[in-house]
Amino acid sequence: QQKNIMIFAGGESGGRSIIDQLREENVEMGWESYLVPFGRDTISAIYPLNWAIRAALTFGALKKGQEKEIAEYCRKRVMAAVVALGPVD
């Protein structure tokens, strides 16, 4: 949070979602805390991916349909990492 790093948290393991686990521990979530819940299943990862693509469209002056350029922009400019803490179905 001190470095303004946005964390998108989602998914589940053993039938328990990370969102519910964080909520049970009273962890503050939301845009203001830089910890943004995005969904309870693996397919919900499309939401942070959409966010990265929109960054390329907005700040990279790219247009819909420029898949290679968008992927390159995201690779170079949208600093992102995935930490999978369990099996991905």
Side-chain angles (χ1 to χ4, degrees):
Q1 289 173 329
Q2 291 174 341
K3 295 185 184 241
N4 297 330
I5 297 173
M6 185 74 64
I7 298 171
F8 291 95
E12 60 90 20
S13 181
R16 294 189 62 220
S17 84
I18 185 68
I19 297 168
D20 293 334
Q21 292 175 50
L22 291 169
R23 192 170 284 136
E24 288 169 11
E25 296 297 323
N26 296 315
V27 174
E28 184 181 341
M29 293 182 282
W31 292 106
E32 300 82 23
S33 66
Y34 293 94
L35 175 56
V36 180
F38 68 82
R40 288 179 164 75
D41 53 15
T42 306
I43 195 68
S44 297
I46 192 69
Y47 299 117
L49 178 59
N50 180 49
W51 190 78
I53 290 169
R54 288 183 181 273
L57 295 173
T58 302
F59 302 113
L62 298 171
K63 303 287 183 220
K64 180 175 72 170
Q66 293 180 289
E67 293 91 358
K68 290 180 185 176
E69 292 85 353
I70 290 170
E72 186 66 15
Y73 182 92
C74 288
R75 187 180 72 77
K76 289 184 176 180
R77 301 293 305 265
V78 180
M79 302 302 175
V82 173
V83 178
L85 301 176
V88 177
D89 60 10

